[in-house]
Amino acid sequence: MTTEQRRNLHTFGDYVRKILDPTYILSYMAPWFRDDEVQHIQAEKNNKGPMEAASLFLQFLLELQEEGWFRAFLDALNQAGYSGLYEAIESWDFQKIEKLEEYRSLLRRLRPEFKTTINPKDILPEISECLISQECEEIMQVCSNKGLMAGAEKMVECLLRSDKENWPKTLKLALEKEESKFSELWMVENGAKGVEMKDLEDDETKTFDVQIFYKEEPENQNLSQNSHPSSEAPHIYSPVKPRNYQLELALPAQKGKNTIICAPTGCGKTFVSLLICEHHLKKFPQGQKGKVVFFAVQLPVYEQQKSVFSQHFERLGYKVAGISGATSDNVSVEQIVENNDIIILTPQILVNSLKNGTVPSLSVFTLMIFDECHNTSKHHPYNMIMFNYLDQKLGGSSDSLPQVVGLTASVGVGDARNTAEATEYLCQLCACLDTSVVATVKDNLEELEEMVYKPQKFFRKVKSPTANRFKSVISQLMLETEGLAKSIFEELGAISLENLFQIQNRKFGTQKYEQWIIAVQKVCMLFQMPDKDEESRICQALFLYTSHLRKYNDALIISEHARVKDALDYLKDFFTNVRAAGFDEIEQDLTRRFEEKLQELESISMDPSNENPKLEDLCFILKEEYHINPETRTILFVKTRALVDALKKWIEENPTLSFLKPGILTGRGKTSQNTGMTLLAQKCVLDTFRTNGDNKILIATSVADEGIDIAQCNLVILYEYVGNVIKMIQTRGRGRARGSKCFLLTSNDDVIEKEKINIYKEKMMNDSIVNVQTWDEAAFKEKIHQIQIHEKFIRDNQGKAMPVPDKKNKKLLCRKCKAFACYTADIRVVEECHFTVIGDAFREHFVSKLHPRPKNFGSFEKKAKIFCARPNCSHDWGIHVRYRAFEIPVIKIESFVVEDVETGVQMLYARWRDFHFEKIPFDAAEMSRCAQDLSLQGMGDLE
C-alpha cells in the first residue's frame, strides 16, 4: 500500500461512503479487523445506517499498516458484487459513478411517488443485477414483514447506493415491461452523453478575443443624448431613438410573447426593457390599465433600475415605486402594488407577499420582467415566483397570467459537457420562465459590432514564492496546536477521535485544510463522555484548538495572495479579540506561543525580500496601464472580503499606487469576520466611483460582477478570481469603455484551465441558443410544456413528504463548552423565523453585553448580545431584543449542540429549518402569565 494509494482512498472516501454497505464485505475482511471493530461497524449500521458504518469502516481501514490489506479490500469489493466501485478504485477514475449522481438526485425527488406506485416484487427480478445479492434478499424480507411500501422504500435506498453504470436504464426497462406509470417520470436519455472537449489552441494560453461593449455613457443614461457624467447631467430629459438591434431584441416581447433576451453586457438591455414596458402599458384600451413588476436580485441593481424607470416613466404620467428588503418594513406592499403602474422589487418581497396573501396572485400584474433571469433555478426567489405562476397555469385557473420577459447576458450551461446537454439546460430555463422565444441580435449584427470592441484577455501566470518564512513559522504553530489537541485524545484513549488527526498530506493554507478542520471541529463538538464536566472541559479545549487552527489557516491563505503584513495583522486582531473574551488557560497558552513568535513574524513582514510575486505583477500591470492612459478606471475582482481589505491597504501604503485612491465594494451578508457593507455604503461607493475622477480603482467581491453598470471602467483585473461561464461573461462585461482590457492574474494553473473551459462552455451556450432558435415554435412550446408538467408533478409529490416534527424534548447545549442552555419545550417561534426561550430559568445560563450596533428591524429593537455564562467560555448565543412589550432573547441554532433527552444522541444544525422539532408559536398571553418578563442580566452595568 503506497502513500499515494492511501491518500487517494481518503480523497475519494465520499464515493465509498455513499455506495458501500460494509457489513456485506466484513466476512471477506475478517482477517484484517479485530472482533470488536467488526462489532462496532455492525452496530453503527444498525443504529445510524450504512453511510455512518462505511465512515467507520474507512477509518479502521486507513489505520491498517500490514502489507496486503489494500488488495484484500479490492478483492472483497469484487467478490461481494461491488464491481463499479472495484473498477473505480482500481483505476482511481470515478467518472462513471459520478455520472449516476443526476439519477440519484431524480430518484430522491421521486421517492414518494415510487413508494406509492411500485410493487418491488414485480420489478426486482429485472433489476437484481444492479443490486448486491444480500440487498435483494433484504428487499424481499422487508416486503414480507412490513409490506410493499416499506419494501419499495428499501429498494430506493439500495438503488441510491448502486454502483452499476446501467442501473438507471435497467430500471427504465423494468418499469416499461410492467407498464408502470412511474416509467413516465423516470426519464433516461439514450446514448452516451459524454463528449471530449476539443483542445484549445496553445496560443490561447496568452490571449484570446472576447467581446466588450463600448459605451461612452453609463447605461442608466442610455436614454439621453448627452454624455455628461451624472453629476453634470442637465435636468431636461431627452429621449433618443433606439438602435435597430435594440428594436430587434424588443420585438418578440412587444408581440406579446414570453421571451428571454440574451445580449452582451452593456448593450442596453435596460433600455430594451423600457421599450417593452412602454409598449405594453400603451396597448391597453381606455378604461383598462397594465401593471408591470421589474425584479432585480442585487440591492445596488435594484436602486439603479428604480432610478432609471422613475426617470423614464414619471414624465409620461405613470406611477413608479420600489420595495426592497431594506425598505419593506416601512411600507405597505399591498398599497404600493395597488397604487402604482410599475413596481421595482427584490424578488423575495413578492415571494413573501404571495405566501402571506398580501398579493393574492400574480394575476394582479400584466407583465413581469426578470433582470439576470439566468438565476431562475432550484430554490432561488425567481423560481419560487415562477412555481406560483406555473401552478396557476397548469392548475386550470381562469385568471389571466402576466407576460414574462427575462434579461441576461448569459443563459449559462449548468453542468453540460456538450452542445446537446447545453440545449437541454436552456430548455429547462425556458420551462422555468415559461418562455417560447430566446431573442438575440441576428439581423442587426453589423450595427452591434460597430459598437463592440474586441480586446485581448491576458492570462498572467505568476510564480509562487520559493521560500516562505512566514508560512514556515505559522505551520510550526499549527503543528504544535494539532499536537496539543492530539494529546487530549491520547490522554483519554479516545482512539476514534484521535484518528481524525492521522490523515496524512494535509496541506496548511488551503481550502481543503479549512474543510478538514471544520469537519474535525464538528466531530469534536459531538464528543460525549459519562462525566459531563469532563466532557465540557474536553469539548471546550478542542473547540479552542480547532478555532485557532482555522484562523492560522486563514492567515496563510491571506499571505498567499496579499502581504505577510496583512496576514499578520489578521492574526493580531484575532488574538486581541481572544484576550477580550473568556481567555482561559488554553487561550493564554496559545496566545503565549503566538507572542513568542511575534517578533520573528514582525521581522519577516518588514523584510522586502518577502514581497509577494503576485503583488509585484499586479503593481506592474497597474503602473503600466496608468502610464499608457492616466484616466484608466479599474475594477479589481477578488474572492474574499479579507482580501479586499488587504489589497486596499497595500495600494494605499504603496507610494507608486496610492494616487489610485481605492474604493471597496462587498456584499451585505454577514461572515464570521464582519457584517458586510450597508446598502447606503454600497450606493455611495458606486456613485463616487462613477462621478469622482480621483477614485481610479474599485476593489470588489462578486457583488459587482452582475448587473451593476460602471460604464467608465476600461480595465478589469481578476485576481485569483474565476467562476462559471456566467461569471466569466459578467465580470469581463464590467469593462465598458473603448480600449478595455481584462487580465486574469494567478499562480495556479488550475485557475487558467478553468477559465479556458469557461471559454469552451460559452461557445456551447451560443450554439445551444442557435439550436433552439431553429426549432419550430409550436414544437418548442410543447417540449417546454412537458418539462413543466414533469417538474410540477415532482414538486407536488415533494410537498407531500414533509418531515414529521419530533415532539420529544431535546436539550440545547453550548456548542463550545457543552453547558446546558435550555429545553426545546421552552423555545417559541416569533414571526415564523426567530426563536426565543420563555421562562426565568434560561436567564441564569447567559450573560449580556450592550450591542455594538443597536438598531430596529421590523418589530424588533436589537439591544444586546448574549453569551454563555459559564466562566472562560463566553460563546456567542445570539441577541437580546425588545419585541412589542417584552424583553426576550433571540438565539441562533448554530451556537448549540442538540441532545436527545432520552437517548443522549447529539446533533448539530446550521439552520433552524433543518431542525425538525415541534415549533410552538410565540404567545403574548403565555409570556404575560410568566412570573416576570426576561430582562437583561446586569442591565445596570450597561447603562
Side-chain angles (χ1 to χ4, degrees):
M1 176 68 179
T2 66
T3 302
E4 183 180 2
Q5 287 173 321
R6 189 183 295 274
R7 182 177 68 245
N8 286 344
L9 188 56
H10 174 260
T11 301
F12 295 110
D14 281 346
Y15 290 106
V16 178
R17 294 182 188 96
K18 289 178 181 177
I19 291 170
L20 179 65
D21 184 332
T23 60
Y24 298 157
I25 68 169
L26 281 179
S27 59
Y28 302 108
M29 295 295 294
W32 303 93
F33 289 151
R34 300 193 309 268
D35 289 344
D36 63 312
E37 291 175 331
V38 171
Q39 292 170 7
H40 194 173
I41 292 168
Q42 289 173 332
E44 196 78 354
K45 157 81 179 289
N46 295 335
N47 295 331
K48 298 182 180 180
M51 186 172 290
E52 287 75 9
S55 294
L56 186 62
F57 173 84
L58 267 182
Q59 185 177 304
F60 290 151
L61 197 65
L62 289 168
E63 291 173 15
L64 294 172
Q65 300 299 327
E66 296 88 342
E67 289 293 327
W69 67 263
F70 181 70
R71 174 46 58 184
F73 171 53
L74 283 177
D75 291 343
L77 289 176
N78 199 29
Q79 292 172 31
Y82 286 105
S83 55
L85 194 56
Y86 167 83
E87 179 185 331
I89 294 176
E90 190 171 51
S91 61
W92 299 119
D93 182 357
F94 288 80
Q95 289 188 30
K96 290 181 180 178
I97 290 177
E98 183 63 32
K99 288 176 182 177
L100 294 172
E101 188 55 41
E102 60 183 298
Y103 298 110
R104 295 192 188 102
S105 178
L106 178 60
L107 185 56
R108 289 188 192 100
R109 295 165 66 190
L110 296 175
R111 187 191 297 244
E113 182 67 10
F114 190 101
K115 288 166 56 178
T116 55
T117 60
I118 296 299
N119 183 332
K121 290 183 178 180
D122 290 343
I123 67 170
L124 185 58
E126 305 298 327
I127 66 168
S128 59
E129 65 182 38
C130 301
L131 304 174
I132 305 298
S133 58
Q134 288 167 267
E135 290 177 328
C136 296
E137 295 172 6
E138 290 178 6
I139 290 169
M140 293 302 294
Q141 188 174 357
V142 171
C143 287
S144 300
N145 296 340
K146 298 182 179 180
L148 296 179
M149 191 173 294
E153 174 70 23
K154 180 66 178 177
M155 181 174 282
V156 170
E157 292 175 9
C158 296
L159 286 170
L160 289 174
R161 288 198 305 274
S162 177
D163 61 347
K164 307 304 183 291
E165 182 183 11
N166 65 334
W167 76 257
K169 189 174 292 186
T170 303
L171 176 60
K172 178 72 171 178
L173 294 173
L175 294 169
E176 289 175 347
K177 183 176 179 180
E178 293 298 322
E179 298 181 352
S180 170
K181 291 183 179 180
F182 189 85
S183 175
E184 298 173 9
L185 298 176
W186 189 245
M187 300 171 67
V188 181
E189 294 183 15
N190 295 323
K193 283 187 171 184
V195 64
E196 292 295 322
M197 188 183 81
K198 294 181 180 178
D199 293 331
L200 296 171
E201 297 296 328
D202 291 340
D203 59 2
E204 287 190 358
T205 59
K206 297 180 181 177
T207 62
F208 58 88
D209 288 343
V210 295
Q211 292 189 349
I212 295 182
F213 184 78
Y214 162 56
K215 285 175 55 57
E216 293 182 340
E217 70 283 346
E219 186 168 306
N220 67 350
Q221 294 171 3
N222 197 356
L223 312 178
S224 174
Q225 289 179 326
N226 68 73
S227 58
H228 299 287
S230 59
S231 60
E232 302 173 8
H235 296 291
I236 299 173
Y237 184 89
S238 304
V240 298
K241 181 180 178 181
R243 300 182 179 95
N244 290 330
Y245 73 81
Q246 292 172 325
L247 292 172
E248 180 184 350
L249 289 171
L251 186 60
Q254 289 178 335
K255 290 181 177 179
K257 295 179 180 180
N258 287 1
T259 307
I260 291 176
I261 296 172
C262 184
T265 298
C267 73
K269 289 190 293 297
T270 299
F271 187 27
V272 173
S273 70
L274 295 177
L275 296 174
I276 295 168
C277 192
E278 186 174 337
H279 179 274
H280 178 82
L281 292 172
K282 287 180 176 179
K283 76 177 184 180
F284 286 90
Q286 193 169 2
Q288 296 183 29
K289 290 183 68 176
K291 192 178 292 290
V292 178
V293 58
F294 184 102
F295 299 109
V297 178
Q298 304 253 23
L299 276 169
V301 180
Y302 156 82
E303 291 288 343
Q304 176 179 284
Q305 303 298 48
K306 187 175 75 166
S307 174
V308 170
F309 273 77
S310 297
Q311 183 186 22
H312 182 78
F313 283 103
E314 287 179 353
R315 68 185 177 85
L316 300 175
Y318 294 105
K319 295 180 180 178
V320 181
I323 314 172
S324 70
T327 62
S328 60
D329 291 332
N330 306 318
V331 297
S332 166
V333 177
E334 186 176 15
Q335 289 182 9
I336 292 289
V337 171
E338 183 177 343
N339 298 332
N340 289 276
D341 304 299
I342 301 168
I343 303 96
I344 316 297
L345 294 178
T346 48
Q348 191 62 46
I349 298 296
L350 186 55
V351 173
N352 296 343
S353 298
L354 289 168
K355 184 177 180 180
N356 61 31
T358 305
V359 175
S361 89
L362 293 176
S363 296
V364 302
F365 304 110
T366 56
L367 172 64
M368 299 194 300
I369 303 176
F370 293 83
D371 195 27
E372 310 297 352
C373 68
H374 53 264
N375 289 302
T376 314
S377 65
K378 299 180 181 177
H379 293 288
H380 190 279
Y382 278 0
N383 221 18
M384 304 307 289
I385 292 168
M386 289 308 299
F387 286 167
N388 190 295
Y389 174 103
L390 292 169
D391 285 346
Q392 192 172 331
K393 172 189 173 182
L394 301 174
S397 171
S398 59
D399 294 335
S400 60
L401 283 166
Q403 182 184 356
V404 177
V405 173
L407 309 173
T408 184
S410 169
V411 294
V413 297
D415 297 324
R417 292 157 293 182
N418 53 56
T419 302
E421 291 181 11
T423 303
E424 286 300 314
Y425 180 85
L426 177 55
C427 290
Q428 188 73 38
L429 178 63
C430 291
C432 290
L433 286 163
D434 195 38
T435 52
S436 57
V437 176
V438 180
T440 57
V441 178
K442 294 187 289 184
D443 298 336
N444 296 281
L445 269 176
E446 187 175 335
E447 181 192 40
L448 181 61
E449 288 169 355
E450 287 176 1
M451 305 187 66
V452 171
Y453 178 71
K454 294 185 177 181
Q456 292 177 321
K457 180 170 182 178
F458 298 90
F459 288 156
R460 302 279 294 210
K461 175 68 166 61
V462 185
K463 291 182 179 178
S464 297
T466 51
N468 191 330
R469 290 169 54 207
F470 178 80
K471 185 171 184 177
S472 299
V473 175
I474 298 299
S475 295
Q476 184 57 42
L477 286 169
M478 294 177 78
L479 286 170
E480 290 177 11
T481 307
E482 282 190 353
L484 292 169
K486 189 176 174 183
S487 66
I488 292 181
F489 303 142
E490 292 171 345
E491 170 192 341
L492 296 171
I495 297 174
S496 60
L497 278 180
E498 181 185 353
N499 287 323
L500 289 171
F501 279 88
Q502 297 300 323
I503 303 170
Q504 297 181 2
N505 299 308
R506 294 188 311 276
K507 190 176 180 182
F508 296 144
T510 62
Q511 292 296 327
K512 285 187 177 180
Y513 187 89
E514 163 108 352
Q515 294 162 4
W516 173 80
I517 204 66
I518 290 172
V520 171
Q521 196 170 43
K522 286 181 178 178
V523 173
C524 293
M525 288 173 185
L526 299 176
F527 177 63
Q528 293 180 267
M529 297 178 66
D531 185 336
K532 292 303 174 183
D533 289 336
E534 185 68 358
E535 176 185 325
S536 174
R537 183 185 72 82
I538 295 298
C539 287
Q540 182 167 343
L542 294 175
F543 181 92
L544 294 173
Y545 289 137
T546 51
S547 295
H548 280 67
L549 285 169
R550 194 171 176 185
K551 291 296 179 182
Y552 281 135
N553 193 66
D554 288 345
L556 288 179
I557 292 175
I558 293 172
S559 72
E560 177 72 19
H561 303 311
R563 297 175 298 179
V564 170
K565 177 183 181 297
D566 303 308
L568 184 56
D569 287 345
Y570 177 84
L571 287 176
K572 286 159 71 175
D573 289 343
F574 168 67
F575 279 100
T576 298
N577 293 331
V578 168
R579 283 182 174 276
F583 207 53
D584 65 6
E585 291 181 4
I586 290 176
E587 289 172 310
Q588 292 172 29
D589 177 54
L590 291 171
T591 303
R592 176 187 58 78
R593 291 170 185 270
F594 172 72
E595 290 177 345
E596 285 176 354
K597 301 289 185 181
L598 186 54
Q599 186 174 350
E600 182 181 0
L601 291 169
E602 294 277 16
S603 175
I604 294 170
S605 71
M606 292 184 288
D607 186 347
S609 67
N610 290 315
E611 181 72 24
N612 192 319
K614 271 188 284 197
L615 292 180
E616 292 177 346
D617 201 56
L618 177 58
C619 183
F620 172 80
I621 292 171
L622 290 170
K623 287 196 293 186
E624 184 75 9
E625 294 302 320
Y626 281 90
H627 174 72
I628 296 170
N629 178 10
E631 300 304 314
T632 291
R633 309 299 294 281
T634 304
I635 300 183
L636 173 60
F637 283 103
V638 300
K639 290 189 291 189
T640 65
R641 293 177 186 173
L643 198 50
V644 168
D645 294 334
L647 291 181
K648 181 176 186 290
K649 288 181 184 177
W650 170 71
I651 291 174
E652 290 172 336
E653 295 172 11
N654 188 316
T656 63
L657 298 176
S658 57
F659 73 94
L660 296 175
K661 294 183 172 24
I664 64 171
L665 183 64
T666 64
R668 301 177 71 240
K670 296 181 180 180
T671 68
S672 57
Q673 275 76 43
N674 55 52
T675 56
M677 294 182 73
T678 64
L679 176 60
L680 181 61
Q682 289 177 334
K683 288 171 65 178
C684 289
V685 166
L686 286 169
D687 289 343
T688 301
F689 187 68
R690 288 187 181 113
T691 61
N692 187 344
D694 290 338
N695 289 107
K696 297 181 182 297
I697 187 169
L698 185 65
I699 311 171
T701 55
S702 60
V703 70
D705 70 15
E706 189 170 291
I708 296 175
D709 294 318
I710 308 172
Q712 300 90 334
C713 173
N714 63 315
L715 177 62
V716 174
I717 301 176
L718 310 178
Y719 192 79
E720 295 285 6
Y721 186 95
V722 68
N724 58 23
V725 64
I726 292 174
K727 187 178 288 291
M728 180 191 75
I729 294 169
Q730 296 284 358
T731 50
R732 79 171 184 216
R734 296 309 111 205
R736 299 286 185 85
R738 185 179 296 277
S740 296
K741 295 180 181 178
C742 184
F743 289 87
L744 172 60
L745 196 155
T746 179
S747 59
N748 190 340
D749 287 326
D750 291 342
V751 172
I752 293 176
E753 187 61 31
K754 187 171 184 179
E755 193 75 349
K756 289 166 66 178
I757 291 172
N758 283 337
I759 298 164
Y760 169 75
K761 286 188 173 182
E762 183 182 10
K763 182 180 182 304
M764 284 190 344
M765 180 193 76
N766 292 331
D767 290 344
S768 71
I769 292 173
V770 173
N771 284 350
V772 166
Q773 289 174 334
T774 60
W775 290 0
D776 175 73
E777 189 171 336
F780 183 59
K781 281 185 176 181
E782 179 58 27
K783 180 176 178 63
I784 296 306
H785 185 64
Q786 291 304 316
I787 293 174
Q788 291 172 343
I789 292 173
H790 177 70
E791 291 296 318
K792 175 172 167 49
F793 189 88
I794 293 173
R795 284 199 308 276
D796 291 346
N797 281 279
Q798 279 181 320
K800 296 173 185 175
M802 293 295 289
V804 179
D806 186 351
K807 296 186 178 182
K808 295 180 181 177
N809 204 7
K810 306 281 193 298
K811 291 180 184 178
L812 264 61
L813 311 176
C814 175
R815 193 173 283 202
K816 180 176 177 181
C817 73
K818 290 291 188 76
F820 172 77
C822 66
Y823 291 102
T824 52
D826 296 325
I827 294 176
R828 298 293 182 268
V829 186
V830 186
E831 295 188 1
E832 297 189 353
C833 58
H834 305 289
F835 293 78
T836 187
V837 184
I838 63 170
D840 290 341
F842 183 57
R843 64 182 292 185
E844 304 298 326
H845 300 296
F846 71 82
V847 294
S848 48
K849 296 180 183 178
L850 199 63
H851 202 287
R853 293 175 298 278
K855 68 173 184 177
N856 294 338
F857 57 100
S859 306
F860 300 88
E861 179 188 354
K862 187 192 299 184
K863 301 184 71 175
K865 289 183 69 66
I866 62 174
F867 303 89
C868 177
R870 178 166 286 189
N872 299 329
C873 179
S874 301
H875 190 46
D876 183 358
W877 282 6
I879 59 175
H880 209 291
V881 304
R882 182 171 183 82
Y883 175 68
R884 297 178 183 170
F886 305 103
E887 301 278 355
I888 60 172
V890 176
I891 60 174
K892 48 187 181 182
I893 190 62
E894 62 265 34
S895 295
F896 300 95
V897 174
V898 178
E899 180 177 292
D900 190 289
V901 174
E902 292 182 7
T903 65
V905 172
Q906 295 183 349
M907 298 287 290
L908 299 176
Y909 297 97
R911 301 170 299 186
W912 281 108
R913 68 168 177 251
D914 297 330
F915 181 19
H916 303 300
F917 70 106
E918 186 176 23
K919 297 178 175 72
I920 304 172
F922 178 86
D923 181 16
E926 180 185 29
M927 285 293 292
S928 299
R929 289 194 298 268
C930 292
Q932 65 181 60
D933 294 339
L934 288 174
S935 60
L936 288 171
Q937 184 171 335
M939 198 62 187
D941 296 333
L942 302 177
E943 296 175 347

